[in-house]
């Protein structure tokens, strides 16, 4: 899966898809990732105030890689 992430809901959708593909319940995934159920639910629902460190922790625990790609400015 290689989806472009442009917003918090995009991250949430990717996490939810991976969790479901792995056959995990929300509670199972939260425990696996070392975060609370509420945090995991908010994250999957695209809550934009989620703590970045915890978001990265969840992505890593679920085996989702994050890459930064440099873009050129339109006038370059």
């Amino acid at each position: 899966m290689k989806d472009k992430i442009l917003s918090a809901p995009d991250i949430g959708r990717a996490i939810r898809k991976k969790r479901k593909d792995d056959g995990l319940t929300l509670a199972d995934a939260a425990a696996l990732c070392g975060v609370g159920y509420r945090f995991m639910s908010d994250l999957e629902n695209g809550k934009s105030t989620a703590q970045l460190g915890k978001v990265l922790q969840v992505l890593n625990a679920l085996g989702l890689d994050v890459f930064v790609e440099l873009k050129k400015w339109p006038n370059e």
Side-chain angles (χ1 to χ4, degrees):
M1 170 176 75
K2 189 173 182 179
D3 294 323
K4 192 168 193 171
I5 302 295
L6 299 174
S7 66
D10 292 343
I11 292 173
R13 279 189 291 277
I15 289 170
R16 180 180 292 116
K17 181 178 182 340
K18 178 69 163 99
R19 173 180 64 78
K20 288 186 174 190
D21 288 351
D22 289 350
L24 297 170
T25 66
L26 195 56
D28 291 339
L32 173 74
C33 297
V35 298
Y37 180 93
R38 178 65 172 192
F39 177 85
M40 194 71 170
S41 176
D42 286 348
L43 181 57
E44 284 194 3
N45 286 302
K47 185 175 178 184
S48 62
T49 58
Q51 297 173 16
L52 181 57
K54 282 188 177 181
V55 172
L56 294 172
Q57 178 181 333
V58 168
L59 291 169
N60 185 50
L62 292 177
L64 293 167
D65 292 326
V66 178
F67 297 92
V68 174
E69 184 176 340
L70 297 176
K71 295 181 357 183
K72 294 195 182 253
W73 294 101
N75 58 353
E76 288 186 9

